[in-house]
Amino acid sequence: MTLTEFVSDYGYAAVLVGTLLEGESILLLAGFAAHQGYLAIELVLLIAFFGGTVGDQVFFWIGRRWGEPLLERFPALKARTTLVGTLLRRWDAALVFAIRFMYGLRIAGPVAMGALGVSRGRFAVFNALGAAVWALLIGGAGYLLGQSLEVLLGDIQEYEGLLLAIVVVAFALVLIAGRVRRALKRRAAVRALAAQQARQPEQVRLD
């Protein structure tokens, strides 16, 4: 499948689905495709803003509604909630704005903020502002990437298949690395929790 066919069939839908989650790679590719004329950059940025805002808002409400059960069920999320709480005390609204730029906290961050009781209105405002800046930066970076490659390579259409393959492989590697990293963190969190629980009886006997 060429880049043209992929974008023609799935372009805007892929941007929406990707940005509802952690879609930096999809948005970067969409910005590049917009430079090639396959998508409208204005619509790409608008969809990215919408997806980024709604996605984090949904995760916030999940944390608001089911925060305690989730924290008990997932030790890694509990650890990240502790981190988010510490950062919130220092940075407050700036953290809500910047959370989507922080690796490993794009989904866990809004869930943690909901569980910690961050103001609904405050989160909505600064989440939307952060999504707007994020869409412009990532989508714009993809667009500028197209311009840079055009300067270096001339007619990019000759290399579309190769570029698409590189992007897909890179995206897959990022996903795999992220999953492995999260799995290792979850395992470490479970071990730390088990060790803490094992020490508690000893502390009771000492008292």
Side-chain angles (χ1 to χ4, degrees), residues 86-127:
T86 301
L87 294 174
L88 275 173
R89 285 191 291 273
R90 181 173 183 180
W91 299 106
D92 195 35
L95 181 66
V96 181
F97 175 86
I99 196 72
R100 69 187 63 250
F101 297 98
M102 302 173 68
Y103 181 78
L105 292 178
R106 171 67 198 277
I107 293 177
V111 174
M113 290 177 184
L116 291 169
V118 171
S119 165
R120 293 184 291 266
R122 194 177 186 79
F123 180 86
V125 170
F126 288 98
N127 174 49

Side-chain angles (χ1 to χ4, degrees), residues 101-178:
F101 297 98
M102 302 173 68
Y103 181 78
L105 292 178
R106 171 67 198 277
I107 293 177
V111 174
M113 290 177 184
L116 291 169
V118 171
S119 165
R120 293 184 291 266
R122 194 177 186 79
F123 180 86
V125 170
F126 288 98
N127 174 49
L129 290 174
V133 173
W134 174 79
L136 286 170
L137 287 178
I138 306 300
Y143 194 88
L144 291 175
L145 175 63
Q147 286 185 329
S148 300
L149 289 176
E150 192 171 55
V151 170
L152 292 173
L153 302 177
D155 186 3
I156 301 178
Q157 291 183 350
E158 298 179 8
Y159 305 92
E160 283 180 352
L162 177 60
L163 290 171
L164 177 59
I166 291 173
V167 170
V168 170
V169 170
F171 183 56
L173 290 175
V174 169
L175 287 179
I176 292 171

Side-chain angles (χ1 to χ4, degrees), residues 17-151:
V17 173
T19 54
L20 284 170
L21 300 171
E22 294 181 291
E24 283 84 2
S25 299
I26 293 293
L27 182 53
L28 192 69
L29 177 58
F32 172 78
H35 176 267
Q36 293 302 98
Y38 302 134
L39 297 174
I41 186 62
E42 297 84 2
L43 191 52
V44 166
L45 297 179
L46 181 61
I47 293 173
F49 165 70
F50 176 81
T53 302
V54 172
D56 281 19
Q57 199 68 50
V58 168
F59 292 126
F60 174 81
W61 281 107
I62 288 173
R64 193 87 171 184
R65 176 65 179 82
W66 294 289
E68 287 300 323
L70 284 174
L71 296 182
E72 295 303 320
R73 175 67 178 82
F74 300 104
L77 178 59
K78 190 171 186 177
R80 292 183 185 183
T81 300
T82 301
L83 171 62
V84 170
T86 301
L87 294 174
L88 275 173
R89 285 191 291 273
R90 181 173 183 180
W91 299 106
D92 195 35
L95 181 66
V96 181
F97 175 86
I99 196 72
R100 69 187 63 250
F101 297 98
M102 302 173 68
Y103 181 78
L105 292 178
R106 171 67 198 277
I107 293 177
V111 174
M113 290 177 184
L116 291 169
V118 171
S119 165
R120 293 184 291 266
R122 194 177 186 79
F123 180 86
V125 170
F126 288 98
N127 174 49
L129 290 174
V133 173
W134 174 79
L136 286 170
L137 287 178
I138 306 300
Y143 194 88
L144 291 175
L145 175 63
Q147 286 185 329
S148 300
L149 289 176
E150 192 171 55
V151 170

